[in-house]
Amino acid sequence: MTNEIFMTRFADKANSVLRGVLDQTVECILLCNLDGRIEYINPNGLKAFAARSFAEIEERVWTELWPDDRKQRAQEAFSLASRGQTDRFDGYIPDRAGVPHWWEVSVSPIVEGDSEISHVLISMHDVTLRMNEALEDRVKRDEATRLAQRSDTVAREMRHRLKNQLAVVGSVAKLLSRNAVDPADLTERLTEKLQSLARAQDILTMNNAQPPTIGEAISQTLDASGAGERVKVGPLPSGRLGDDAVQQLALIMGELQTNSHKYGALAADSGRITLTVSRKGGELALSWHEDVGSAIEPPAHEGAGFKLLQRLGSTSHSRAQVQWHKRGPMVDFYLRVID
C-alpha cells in the first residue's frame, strides 16, 4: 500500500469519525466563513434553531440570529476570532420558532496553512434549564426578602400602634379614674372606651394598604355602633386620617353615642342627630348636633365624658367645646388630617 493510498484512507476514516462526533454531540456546532455566513451546522444545531434542513439556514449571517440587545456582543466575539483570538460569552437567543434559549458560546478561529485564518468555529451549549433554575431561585430569594421586609415593617407598625394604644388607654384611664363614682362606674366606662379603641383598630386594619379617608372613618365608626342610620351626615371633605385621629374619632363618637343612647336623641324615637364636617387646611372640624324632640334641661355639671371629649377633640389651634340648646347638646371637636 503506497503512502498516498494510506493517507487517503486515513483521511476518509478521520472524516467519518469526525462526522460521527459532530452528529452525536449535544453542542450546537457552526462553521462560518470570515464574512460571518454559516457554511456548516451539525444536526443538533439544526434542531436548536428549529430548521428542517441546512438549506433553511445556509448562508445566513450568524450574528444576525441574535436579538438586538446581544447582537453587538456576538459581533465582538466573531471579530476577535477572525483576528486569531478565542472568545466566550453567555447570551440569550430564541430559536426560529421563538422558543427562548440561553447559551454558553465559544467562538474560535480555524487556521489553515501558514497561520492563515479561513473560518470561525462556533460552539453553543444550551444552558436554558440551568438559567431557568437560577432565575427561579433568584425570584424565590427576592420574594423571601420582600416578605421578610414586609414582616419587619408590619412588626414595627404593630409596635408603634401598640405604644399609641397603651398611651391612649393610660390617658383615658387616668381621666376616668378622677371622675368615677365608684369602681363599678370606672370599670363600665373604661370597658366602653376599650371597645371604641377596638373599633378604631378594625378601621385601621380594614384600610391597612393606606390610611382611611375621612368618609370611610366616619361611616365605619357610626356603623360599628349601630347608630349609623339615625345620624344624618352632611357633605364630607376629602382627606385621610392617621392612626391617632382614627383612635380619637372612635373614642369621641363612642362617647357621644353612648350618652345619646342613655340620655339623648338615640334614646327617643323622635330624636334626630346631625353631623356636619368641614376642613380647613390640615384640621378637620366636626359638629355633633342632637335634637331629642322636646325641651330638656342641661346637666348641672360636666361629667367625665364631656371632659374626655374636650381633651381628645382639641388640637393646637382649636379647642373642643360642648354647648347646650333647648333640645339637646351640640359638640364641636377637631382632628388632624394627614393629606
Side-chain angles (χ1 to χ4, degrees), residues 146-210:
R146 186 186 68 81
L147 290 175
Q149 291 173 341
R150 180 180 178 184
S151 297
D152 185 55
T153 300
V154 170
R156 288 199 304 270
E157 177 66 18
M158 291 301 294
R159 288 195 297 269
H160 172 71
R161 287 188 176 181
L162 181 58
K163 286 182 179 180
N164 283 350
Q165 284 280 292
L166 292 175
V168 172
V169 170
S171 178
V172 170
K174 184 182 294 185
L175 181 62
L176 293 177
S177 65
R178 293 173 183 168
N179 298 275
V181 177
D182 51 39
D185 180 52
L186 174 60
T187 300
E188 181 183 357
R189 288 180 174 275
L190 187 56
T191 299
E192 291 173 354
K193 302 304 174 286
L194 291 176
Q195 290 173 343
S196 296
L197 287 173
R199 287 195 289 270
Q201 290 307 306
D202 289 340
I203 295 171
L204 294 172
T205 301
M206 285 186 288
N207 299 276
N208 58 0
Q210 57 182 335

Coordinates of all heavy atoms in Angstrom, one line a residue, residues 146-210:
R146 N -38.6 40.2 50.2 CA -39.7 41.1 50.2 C -40.6 40.7 51.4 O -41.1 41.6 52.1 CB -40.5 41.0 48.9 CG -41.6 42.0 48.8 CD -42.4 41.8 47.6 NE -43.2 40.6 47.6 CZ -44.3 40.4 48.3 NH1 -44.9 41.5 48.9 NH2 -45.0 39.3 48.3
L147 N -40.9 39.4 51.6 CA -41.7 39.0 52.7 C -41.1 39.4 54.1 O -41.8 39.8 55.0 CB -42.0 37.5 52.6 CG -42.9 37.1 51.5 CD1 -43.1 35.6 51.4 CD2 -44.3 37.7 51.6
A148 N -39.8 39.2 54.1 CA -39.1 39.5 55.4 C -39.1 41.0 55.7 O -39.4 41.4 56.8 CB -37.6 39.0 55.3
Q149 N -38.9 41.8 54.6 CA -39.0 43.2 54.8 C -40.4 43.6 55.2 O -40.6 44.5 56.0 CB -38.6 43.9 53.5 CG -37.1 43.8 53.2 CD -36.7 44.4 51.9 OE1 -37.6 44.6 51.0 NE2 -35.4 44.6 51.7
R150 N -41.4 43.0 54.6 CA -42.8 43.3 54.9 C -43.1 42.9 56.3 O -43.8 43.7 57.0 CB -43.7 42.6 53.9 CG -45.2 42.9 54.2 CD -46.1 42.1 53.2 NE -47.5 42.4 53.5 CZ -48.5 41.8 52.9 NH1 -48.2 41.0 51.9 NH2 -49.8 42.1 53.2
S151 N -42.6 41.8 56.7 CA -42.9 41.3 58.1 C -42.2 42.3 59.1 O -42.8 42.6 60.1 CB -42.3 39.9 58.3 OG -43.0 39.0 57.5
D152 N -41.0 42.7 58.8 CA -40.4 43.7 59.7 C -41.1 45.0 59.7 O -41.3 45.6 60.8 CB -38.9 43.9 59.1 CG -38.1 44.8 60.1 OD1 -38.0 44.4 61.3 OD2 -37.6 45.8 59.6
T153 N -41.6 45.4 58.6 CA -42.4 46.7 58.5 C -43.7 46.5 59.4 O -44.1 47.4 60.1 CB -42.8 47.0 57.1 OG1 -41.6 47.2 56.3 CG2 -43.6 48.3 57.0
V154 N -44.4 45.4 59.2 CA -45.6 45.1 59.9 C -45.3 45.1 61.4 O -46.1 45.6 62.3 CB -46.3 43.8 59.5 CG1 -47.4 43.4 60.4 CG2 -46.8 43.9 58.1
A155 N -44.2 44.4 61.8 CA -43.8 44.3 63.2 C -43.6 45.7 63.8 O -44.0 46.1 64.9 CB -42.6 43.5 63.4
R156 N -42.8 46.6 63.1 CA -42.6 47.9 63.5 C -43.9 48.7 63.7 O -44.1 49.5 64.6 CB -41.6 48.7 62.6 CG -40.2 48.2 62.7 CD -39.2 49.2 62.1 NE -39.6 49.5 60.7 CZ -39.1 48.9 59.6 NH1 -38.3 47.9 59.8 NH2 -39.5 49.3 58.4
E157 N -44.8 48.5 62.7 CA -46.0 49.2 62.7 C -46.9 48.8 63.9 O -47.5 49.6 64.6 CB -46.8 49.0 61.4 CG -48.2 49.6 61.3 CD -48.1 51.1 61.3 OE1 -47.1 51.7 61.0 OE2 -49.2 51.7 61.6
M158 N -46.9 47.5 64.2 CA -47.6 47.0 65.3 C -47.1 47.5 66.6 O -47.8 47.8 67.5 CB -47.6 45.4 65.3 CG -48.4 44.8 64.1 SD -50.1 45.3 64.1 CE -50.7 44.5 65.6
R159 N -45.7 47.5 66.7 CA -45.1 48.1 67.9 C -45.5 49.5 68.1 O -45.8 50.0 69.2 CB -43.6 47.9 67.9 CG -43.1 46.5 68.1 CD -41.6 46.5 68.4 NE -40.8 47.0 67.3 CZ -40.3 46.3 66.3 NH1 -40.6 45.0 66.3 NH2 -39.6 46.8 65.4
H160 N -45.5 50.3 67.0 CA -45.9 51.7 67.1 C -47.3 51.9 67.5 O -47.6 52.7 68.4 CB -45.6 52.3 65.7 CG -46.2 53.7 65.6 ND1 -45.6 54.8 66.2 CD2 -47.2 54.3 64.9 CE1 -46.2 55.9 66.0 NE2 -47.3 55.6 65.2
R161 N -48.2 51.1 66.9 CA -49.6 51.2 67.3 C -49.9 50.7 68.7 O -50.7 51.3 69.4 CB -50.5 50.3 66.3 CG -50.6 50.9 64.9 CD -51.6 50.1 64.1 NE -51.7 50.8 62.7 CZ -52.5 50.3 61.8 NH1 -53.2 49.2 62.0 NH2 -52.6 51.0 60.6
L162 N -49.2 49.7 69.1 CA -49.3 49.2 70.5 C -48.9 50.3 71.5 O -49.6 50.5 72.5 CB -48.5 47.9 70.7 CG -48.6 47.3 72.1 CD1 -50.1 47.0 72.5 CD2 -47.8 46.1 72.2
K163 N -47.8 51.0 71.2 CA -47.4 52.0 72.1 C -48.4 53.1 72.2 O -48.7 53.7 73.2 CB -46.0 52.6 71.6 CG -44.9 51.7 71.9 CD -43.6 52.4 71.4 CE -42.4 51.5 71.7 NZ -41.1 52.1 71.2
N164 N -49.0 53.5 71.0 CA -50.0 54.5 70.9 C -51.3 54.1 71.7 O -51.9 54.8 72.5 CB -50.4 54.8 69.5 CG -49.4 55.7 68.8 OD1 -48.5 56.2 69.4 ND2 -49.6 55.8 67.5
Q165 N -51.6 52.8 71.6 CA -52.8 52.2 72.3 C -52.6 52.3 73.8 O -53.5 52.8 74.5 CB -53.0 50.8 71.9 CG -53.6 50.6 70.5 CD -55.1 50.8 70.5 OE1 -55.8 50.0 71.1 NE2 -55.6 51.9 69.9
L166 N -51.4 51.9 74.2 CA -51.1 51.9 75.7 C -51.2 53.4 76.2 O -51.7 53.6 77.3 CB -49.8 51.3 76.0 CG -49.7 49.8 75.7 CD1 -48.3 49.2 75.9 CD2 -50.7 49.0 76.6
A167 N -50.6 54.3 75.4 CA -50.6 55.7 75.9 C -52.0 56.2 76.0 O -52.4 56.9 76.9 CB -49.8 56.5 74.9
V168 N -52.9 55.9 74.9 CA -54.2 56.4 75.0 C -55.0 55.7 76.1 O -55.8 56.4 76.8 CB -54.9 56.1 73.6 CG1 -56.4 56.4 73.7 CG2 -54.3 56.9 72.5
V169 N -54.8 54.4 76.3 CA -55.5 53.7 77.4 C -55.1 54.3 78.7 O -56.0 54.6 79.6 CB -55.3 52.2 77.3 CG1 -55.8 51.5 78.6 CG2 -55.9 51.6 76.1
G170 N -53.8 54.6 78.9 CA -53.4 55.1 80.2 C -54.0 56.5 80.4 O -54.4 56.8 81.5
S171 N -54.0 57.3 79.4 CA -54.5 58.7 79.5 C -56.0 58.7 79.8 O -56.5 59.4 80.7 CB -54.3 59.5 78.2 OG -54.9 60.8 78.3
V172 N -56.8 57.8 79.1 CA -58.2 57.7 79.3 C -58.5 57.2 80.7 O -59.4 57.7 81.5 CB -58.9 56.8 78.3 CG1 -60.3 56.5 78.6 CG2 -58.8 57.5 76.9
A173 N -57.8 56.1 81.1 CA -58.0 55.5 82.5 C -57.7 56.6 83.6 O -58.5 56.6 84.6 CB -57.1 54.3 82.6
K174 N -56.7 57.3 83.4 CA -56.3 58.3 84.4 C -57.5 59.4 84.5 O -57.9 59.8 85.6 CB -55.0 59.0 84.1 CG -54.5 60.0 85.1 CD -53.3 60.7 84.6 CE -52.1 59.7 84.6 NZ -50.8 60.4 84.2
L175 N -58.0 59.8 83.4 CA -59.0 60.9 83.4 C -60.3 60.3 84.0 O -61.0 61.0 84.8 CB -59.3 61.3 82.0 CG -60.3 62.4 81.8 CD1 -60.0 63.7 82.5 CD2 -60.6 62.7 80.3
L176 N -60.7 59.1 83.6 CA -61.9 58.5 84.1 C -61.8 58.2 85.6 O -62.8 58.3 86.3 CB -62.2 57.2 83.4 CG -62.6 57.3 81.9 CD1 -62.8 55.9 81.3 CD2 -63.8 58.1 81.7
S177 N -60.6 57.8 86.1 CA -60.5 57.5 87.5 C -60.7 58.7 88.4 O -61.2 58.6 89.5 CB -59.1 56.9 87.8 OG -58.1 57.8 87.5
R178 N -60.4 59.9 87.8 CA -60.6 61.1 88.6 C -62.1 61.5 88.8 O -62.4 62.2 89.7 CB -59.9 62.3 87.9 CG -58.4 62.1 87.9 CD -57.8 63.3 87.1 NE -56.3 63.1 87.0 CZ -55.6 63.8 86.1 NH1 -56.2 64.7 85.3 NH2 -54.3 63.7 86.1
N179 N -62.9 61.0 87.9 CA -64.3 61.4 87.9 C -65.3 60.2 88.1 O -66.5 60.4 88.0 CB -64.7 62.1 86.6 CG -63.8 63.4 86.4 OD1 -64.2 64.4 86.8 ND2 -62.7 63.2 85.6
A180 N -64.7 59.0 88.4 CA -65.6 57.9 88.5 C -66.3 57.9 89.9 O -65.7 58.3 90.9 CB -64.8 56.6 88.4
V181 N -67.6 57.5 89.9 CA -68.3 57.5 91.2 C -67.8 56.4 92.1 O -67.7 56.5 93.3 CB -69.8 57.3 90.8 CG1 -70.6 57.2 92.1 CG2 -70.4 58.4 90.0
D182 N -67.6 55.2 91.5 CA -67.1 54.0 92.3 C -66.4 53.1 91.3 O -66.3 53.4 90.1 CB -68.2 53.3 93.0 CG -69.4 53.0 92.0 OD1 -69.1 52.6 90.8 OD2 -70.5 53.1 92.4
P183 N -65.7 52.0 91.8 CA -65.0 51.1 90.9 C -65.9 50.5 89.8 O -65.4 50.3 88.7 CB -64.5 50.0 91.8 CG -64.4 50.7 93.2 CD -65.5 51.7 93.2
A184 N -67.1 50.3 90.1 CA -68.0 49.7 89.1 C -68.2 50.7 87.9 O -68.3 50.3 86.7 CB -69.4 49.3 89.7
D185 N -68.4 52.0 88.3 CA -68.6 53.0 87.3 C -67.3 53.1 86.4 O -67.4 53.3 85.2 CB -68.9 54.3 88.0 CG -69.1 55.5 87.0 OD1 -69.9 55.3 86.0 OD2 -68.4 56.5 87.1
L186 N -66.2 53.1 87.1 CA -64.9 53.2 86.3 C -64.8 52.0 85.4 O -64.4 52.1 84.2 CB -63.7 53.2 87.3 CG -62.3 53.1 86.7 CD1 -62.1 54.3 85.8 CD2 -61.3 53.1 87.8
T187 N -65.1 50.8 85.8 CA -65.0 49.6 85.0 C -65.9 49.7 83.8 O -65.5 49.4 82.7 CB -65.4 48.4 85.8 OG1 -64.5 48.2 86.9 CG2 -65.3 47.1 85.0
E188 N -67.1 50.2 84.0 CA -68.1 50.3 82.9 C -67.6 51.3 81.8 O -67.6 51.0 80.6 CB -69.4 50.7 83.4 CG -70.5 50.8 82.3 CD -71.8 51.3 82.8 OE1 -71.9 51.5 84.1 OE2 -72.7 51.5 82.0
R189 N -67.1 52.4 82.3 CA -66.7 53.5 81.4 C -65.4 53.0 80.6 O -65.3 53.3 79.4 CB -66.5 54.8 82.1 CG -67.8 55.4 82.6 CD -67.5 56.7 83.3 NE -68.7 57.4 83.6 CZ -69.3 58.3 82.8 NH1 -68.8 58.5 81.6 NH2 -70.5 58.9 83.1
L190 N -64.5 52.4 81.4 CA -63.3 52.0 80.7 C -63.5 50.9 79.7 O -62.9 50.9 78.6 CB -62.3 51.5 81.8 CG -60.9 51.2 81.3 CD1 -60.2 52.4 80.6 CD2 -60.0 50.8 82.5
T191 N -64.4 50.0 80.0 CA -64.8 49.0 79.1 C -65.3 49.6 77.8 O -65.0 49.1 76.7 CB -65.8 48.0 79.7 OG1 -65.3 47.4 80.8 CG2 -66.3 47.0 78.7
E192 N -66.2 50.6 77.9 CA -66.8 51.3 76.7 C -65.6 51.9 75.9 O -65.7 51.8 74.7 CB -67.7 52.4 77.2 CG -69.0 51.8 77.8 CD -69.9 53.0 78.4 OE1 -69.4 54.1 78.4 OE2 -71.0 52.7 78.8
K193 N -64.7 52.5 76.5 CA -63.6 53.2 75.8 C -62.7 52.1 75.1 O -62.2 52.4 74.0 CB -62.7 54.0 76.8 CG -63.5 55.1 77.5 CD -64.3 56.0 76.5 CE -65.2 57.0 77.2 NZ -66.4 56.3 77.8
L194 N -62.5 51.0 75.8 CA -61.7 50.0 75.1 C -62.4 49.4 73.9 O -61.7 49.1 72.9 CB -61.4 48.9 76.1 CG -60.4 49.3 77.3 CD1 -60.3 48.1 78.3 CD2 -59.0 49.6 76.8
Q195 N -63.7 49.3 74.0 CA -64.5 48.8 72.8 C -64.4 49.8 71.7 O -64.3 49.4 70.5 CB -65.9 48.6 73.2 CG -66.1 47.4 74.2 CD -67.5 47.3 74.7 OE1 -68.3 48.3 74.6 NE2 -67.9 46.1 75.2
S196 N -64.4 51.1 72.0 CA -64.2 52.1 71.0 C -62.8 52.0 70.3 O -62.7 52.1 69.1 CB -64.4 53.5 71.6 OG -65.7 53.7 72.1
L197 N -61.8 51.8 71.1 CA -60.5 51.7 70.6 C -60.4 50.4 69.7 O -59.7 50.4 68.7 CB -59.4 51.6 71.7 CG -59.2 52.9 72.4 CD1 -58.3 52.7 73.6 CD2 -58.5 53.9 71.5
A198 N -61.1 49.4 70.1 CA -61.1 48.1 69.3 C -61.7 48.4 67.9 O -61.3 47.9 66.9 CB -61.9 47.0 70.0
R199 N -62.8 49.2 67.9 CA -63.4 49.6 66.6 C -62.4 50.4 65.8 O -62.4 50.3 64.6 CB -64.7 50.4 66.9 CG -65.9 49.5 67.4 CD -67.2 50.3 67.3 NE -67.3 51.4 68.2 CZ -67.8 51.3 69.4 NH1 -68.2 50.1 69.9 NH2 -67.9 52.3 70.2
A200 N -61.7 51.3 66.4 CA -60.7 52.0 65.7 C -59.6 51.1 65.0 O -59.2 51.3 63.9 CB -60.0 53.0 66.6
Q201 N -59.2 50.1 65.8 CA -58.3 49.1 65.2 C -58.9 48.4 64.0 O -58.2 48.1 63.0 CB -57.8 48.2 66.3 CG -56.9 48.8 67.3 CD -55.7 49.5 66.7 OE1 -55.0 49.0 65.9 NE2 -55.6 50.8 67.0
D202 N -60.2 48.1 64.1 CA -60.8 47.4 63.0 C -60.8 48.3 61.7 O -60.5 47.8 60.6 CB -62.3 47.1 63.3 CG -62.4 46.0 64.3 OD1 -61.5 45.2 64.5 OD2 -63.5 45.9 65.0
I203 N -61.0 49.6 61.9 CA -61.0 50.5 60.8 C -59.6 50.6 60.2 O -59.4 50.5 59.0 CB -61.4 51.9 61.3 CG1 -62.9 51.9 61.7 CG2 -61.2 53.0 60.2 CD1 -63.3 53.2 62.4
L204 N -58.6 50.7 61.1 CA -57.2 50.7 60.6 C -56.8 49.4 59.9 O -56.0 49.4 58.9 CB -56.2 51.0 61.7 CG -56.4 52.4 62.4 CD1 -55.6 52.5 63.6 CD2 -56.0 53.5 61.4
T205 N -57.3 48.3 60.4 CA -56.9 47.0 59.8 C -57.6 46.9 58.4 O -57.0 46.4 57.5 CB -57.4 45.9 60.7 OG1 -56.7 46.0 61.9 CG2 -57.0 44.5 60.1
M206 N -58.9 47.3 58.3 CA -59.6 47.2 57.0 C -58.9 48.1 56.0 O -59.1 47.9 54.8 CB -61.0 47.6 57.2 CG -61.9 46.5 57.9 SD -63.6 46.9 57.9 CE -63.7 48.2 59.1
N207 N -58.3 49.1 56.4 CA -57.6 50.1 55.5 C -56.1 50.0 55.6 O -55.5 51.1 55.6 CB -58.2 51.5 55.7 CG -59.6 51.6 55.5 OD1 -60.1 51.8 54.4 ND2 -60.4 51.5 56.6
N208 N -55.5 48.8 55.8 CA -54.1 48.7 56.1 C -53.2 49.1 54.9 O -52.1 49.4 55.0 CB -53.8 47.3 56.6 CG -54.1 46.3 55.6 OD1 -54.6 46.5 54.5 ND2 -53.9 45.0 55.9
A209 N -53.8 49.1 53.6 CA -53.0 49.5 52.5 C -52.6 51.0 52.5 O -51.5 51.3 52.2 CB -53.7 49.2 51.2
Q210 N -53.5 51.8 53.0 CA -53.3 53.2 53.2 C -54.3 53.7 54.2 O -55.3 53.1 54.5 CB -53.4 53.9 51.9 CG -54.8 53.8 51.2 CD -54.8 54.5 49.8 OE1 -54.1 55.4 49.6 NE2 -55.7 54.0 49.0

